[in-house]
Amino acid sequence: EVLEALELLAEALLLRDLSELSPSRAILVIDAYVAWGLLSHERMGPSNASTDLCWALVRELKGRLRAHGRERPDDLAALALALGSGNLDHDDLWKELVHNLDHDDL
């Protein structure tokens, strides 16, 4: 039931302008979908709303981590864990994330 509700929520969120979400909220959404196993290897295959939503949020986060990391450095760690666990291999976002996890830059 929860997984079905999350899938319906993903469909609804995909109809919104995701740039309106704060980086913190986007990271929380990605983390929740990963935690509930909606991005596991078993579920990969034909496109589903959960996967599409998480990839859209990942793309929206690009370029927004530096300022956000200064305010909420724990979010960057949560994002790194979610990206790794969810197999969201967005090379540019990973580079930005790793760069901003360096505390000298914060």
Side-chain angles (χ1 to χ4, degrees):
E1 294 174 3
V2 172
L3 298 181
E4 291 173 13
L6 286 170
E7 195 67 26
L8 288 173
L9 179 60
E11 290 173 11
L13 285 171
L14 283 168
L15 299 175
R16 288 188 50 161
D17 179 4
L18 296 175
S19 67
E20 294 177 3
L21 284 178
S22 70
S24 223
R25 296 236 184 231
I27 292 167
L28 287 172
V29 170
I30 294 168
D31 188 48
Y33 278 84
V34 170
W36 278 95
L38 289 166
L39 297 178
S40 67
H41 293 298
E42 294 81 36
R43 290 186 55 90
M44 294 296 191
S47 180
N48 64 54
S50 297
T51 301
D52 292 347
L53 173 63
C54 288
W55 276 107
L57 290 171
V58 163
R59 288 188 296 273
E60 283 294 328
L61 283 170
K62 185 169 177 340
R64 299 173 70 190
L65 296 181
R66 184 175 179 91
H68 184 70
R70 287 186 174 133
E71 297 171 20
R72 311 247 346 230
D74 290 347
D75 280 358
L76 298 185
L79 178 60
L81 184 60
L83 290 176
S85 299
N87 231 11
L88 294 163
D89 297 325
H90 189 288
D91 191 47
D92 291 337
L93 187 65
W94 268 110
K95 287 176 186 173
E96 183 179 344
L97 181 58
V98 168
H99 177 75
N100 288 298
L101 281 171
D102 180 4
H103 293 291
D104 291 340
D105 288 341
L106 296 178

